[in-house]
Amino acid sequence: HYKNFDSWVLSLKQLLHEESVQPIDEGKWSSAEIISHFIAWDRFTLDQRLGKLKENAVLDPFPDFQSVNDRAAEYAKSGVTKNELIDEFIEIRSAAVEGFLKFEGEEHQFHFKIGNHPFTIASYMEDFIGHDLHHKAQIVAFLAKNESCGIR
């Protein structure tokens, strides 16, 4: 999944600036904000999760989703370019994937909790992948819809 997903994200460099900052739908983020959102949660995983994962670990609950997401959206609007966001995403995601890969084989099945929610490394990664695919589908639908309008 991750190599294909990284390639797809890199393909977003082809978007015009205007496309990358246009909300994908009314009340939704832009593709730039979505990439920033990936960066924020990947960084959280690197900083707050991967080093603490072990059998029967009980990790702190997730932080307030809205505040993390709001900060990510603000970052995307802070003057950072689309290409800088994409490059930062590739760097952070590569580090996160590398961190997950150290849990190969049987270790993927050890159990831990985040707050009261049980996980294995495999189930945590499945959630990560589902999250990626959810946002990818949103961006793909936006681009397909706007292709007919001459945007792409």
Side-chain angles (χ1 to χ4, degrees):
H1 162 81
Y2 292 112
K3 286 183 183 181
N4 290 336
F5 192 74
D6 286 357
S7 295
W8 175 76
V9 170
L10 282 168
S11 77
L12 297 177
K13 285 187 173 188
Q14 298 172 33
L15 295 177
L16 300 173
H17 170 76
E18 294 76 19
E19 293 172 303
S20 71
V21 297
Q22 182 180 351
I24 60 170
D25 208 345
E26 191 173 325
K28 300 287 185 180
W29 293 324
S30 66
S31 60
E33 289 168 301
I34 291 171
I35 299 303
S36 186
H37 167 80
F38 289 143
I39 292 167
W41 286 107
D42 284 12
R43 183 169 283 126
F44 174 81
T45 297
L46 277 168
D47 295 345
Q48 301 297 322
R49 295 292 189 233
L50 285 172
K52 299 174 182 177
L53 292 176
K54 60 184 180 185
E55 181 67 45
N56 296 318
V58 179
L59 306 179
D60 291 335
F62 286 102
D64 176 62
F65 291 106
Q66 193 61 50
S67 63
V68 173
N69 293 341
D70 288 348
R71 283 192 306 273
E74 289 170 19
Y75 178 61
K77 297 175 186 176
S78 70
V80 64
T81 69
K82 166 194 56 160
N83 288 351
E84 288 169 338
L85 274 174
I86 290 170
D87 291 343
E88 185 176 353
F89 165 77
I90 296 297
E91 181 181 328
I92 297 293
R93 176 57 61 94
S94 295
V97 169
E98 191 174 302
F100 280 125
L101 289 177
K102 71 181 180 182
F103 298 106
E104 292 195 86
E106 292 298 312
E107 290 189 44
H108 268 124
Q109 294 309 313
F110 73 75
H111 296 83
F112 62 95
K113 286 186 176 184
I114 297 177
N116 293 321
H117 303 283
F119 287 93
T120 63
I121 293 292
S123 68
Y124 190 82
M125 290 177 72
E126 287 170 15
D127 282 358
F128 225 79
I129 291 168
H131 178 250
D132 287 350
L133 296 176
H134 164 73
H135 288 300
K136 177 182 178 181
Q138 290 178 313
I139 293 172
V140 167
F142 164 75
L143 295 174
K145 178 176 77 173
N146 288 313
E147 186 172 3
S148 62
C149 301
I151 292 178
R152 267 211 178 197

